[in-house]
Amino acid sequence: GENVEQHPSTLSVQEGDSAVIKCTYSDSASNYFPWYKQELGKGPQLIIDIRSNVGEKKDQRIAVTLNKTAKHFSLHITETQPEDSAVYFCAASGSARQLTFGSGTQLTVLP
Amino acid sequence: DTEVTQTPKHLVMGMTNKKSLKCEQHMGHRAMYWYKQKAKKPPELMFVYSYEKLSINESVPSRFSPECPNSSLLNLHLHALQPEDSALYLCASSQSGTSGVYEQFFGPGTRLTVL
């Protein structure tokens, strides 16, 4: 089955700096890669996703890049704000067409 | 509207109780999911319903019993749970669960504590 590794597990940045979270996946059949943000006491919120026919996607301060050859994808958050503080999960769809999640990254934006 | 609602928000139950978790979506999605999430861990898939039929059961113990009464509702019936079943139970929905992967939208979860 699919295996997704996510790094780092914790990340602290100063407000206004950029944050990058990286994930690798194992199943070459995976073709859908969403990112979720989970705030304390809430369910995961889909913030951006990318499909395998695209190399990069941007939505305001958030961008995702995908390298299918290397089987890795990354989340980039620019001009970070305190409200960006949360746990971020990457995920990949494997051959079973169900999502496999990474282990999560606790992002803290320091004011 | 990308809202999935779940009730109750919190539930405390004893090991001999029977309770149910409820989930509802009105996005016209035909796939609905139950996930279990322990603290500081990612969601773990439990069940998938596609077009109101159970399509995936990830070897979940029989003390968890899912039910999909119609395309908008998903229930999870709980019976004789163990303390280690305490977790956040998340419901999600997507356009389809069988033909490719579509965006999954999660509800806020039910925080379950088993005493």
Side-chain angles (χ1 to χ4, degrees):
Chain A
E2 175 67 280
N3 182 48
V4 178
E5 294 192 1
Q6 182 172 345
H7 299 281
S9 56
T10 61
L11 178 60
S12 292
V13 299
Q14 289 294 135
E15 183 177 356
D17 287 351
S18 296
V20 180
I21 303 171
K22 299 182 179 183
C23 290
T24 60
Y25 62 97
S26 61
D27 189 342
S28 56
S30 287
N31 61 2
Y32 176 63
F33 308 90
W35 286 88
Y36 287 88
K37 173 185 181 182
Q38 188 172 24
E39 296 174 280
L40 199 61
K42 297 185 178 181
Q45 176 195 0
L46 179 66
I47 57 171
I48 196 167
D49 56 14
I50 192 168
R51 296 186 186 274
S52 59
N53 57 348
V54 175
E56 182 176 1
K57 184 177 178 180
K58 290 178 89 169
D59 182 4
Q60 299 183 354
R61 296 186 297 107
I62 294 174
V64 57
T65 59
L66 172 65
N67 183 326
K68 281 217 73 176
T69 303
K71 293 185 194 167
H72 65 71
F73 56 113
S74 301
L75 178 71
H76 304 253
I77 306 174
T78 58
E79 301 172 23
T80 53
Q81 301 166 4
E83 51 266 38
D84 294 329
S85 296
V87 178
Y88 290 80
F89 290 102
C90 63
S93 66
S95 303
R97 292 292 178 257
Q98 299 301 331
L99 294 179
T100 298
F101 288 85
S103 54
T105 296
Q106 173 69 62
L107 173 65
T108 303
V109 180
L110 304 169
Chain B
D1 181 13
T2 57
E3 189 177 29
V4 176
T5 59
Q6 290 187 244
T7 55
K9 286 188 175 5
H10 302 276
L11 179 63
V12 179
M13 60 187 290
M15 289 190 285
T16 59
N17 292 158
K18 284 186 180 180
K19 296 286 185 182
S20 297
L21 309 184
K22 297 186 184 301
C23 173
E24 191 166 4
Q25 57 89 13
H26 294 288
M27 294 177 277
H29 288 172
R30 301 314 301 268
M32 296 185 76
Y33 309 76
W34 280 115
Y35 288 84
K36 174 182 177 180
Q37 186 178 29
K38 299 284 262 185
K40 300 187 185 301
K41 297 290 187 183
E44 296 175 35
L45 184 64
M46 300 174 71
F47 303 104
V48 180
Y49 271 84
S50 182
Y51 294 88
E52 298 154 54
K53 292 192 186 323
L54 183 64
S55 62
I56 292 179
N57 175 340
E58 292 285 0
S59 303
V60 179
S62 60
R63 57 186 183 268
F64 295 91
S65 175
E67 178 196 19
C68 189
N70 60 54
S71 60
S72 300
L73 294 174
L74 186 66
N75 298 322
L76 186 63
H77 303 297
L78 314 172
H79 173 56
L81 295 193
Q82 304 297 310
E84 58 265 30
D85 296 323
S86 297
L88 182 67
Y89 287 84
L90 294 161
C91 175
S93 71
S94 68
Q95 187 176 339
S96 171
T98 58
S99 55
V101 177
Y102 297 89
E103 294 89 341
Q104 277 191 32
F105 297 97
F106 284 83
T110 293
R111 175 73 59 190
L112 174 67
T113 303
V114 182
L115 301 176

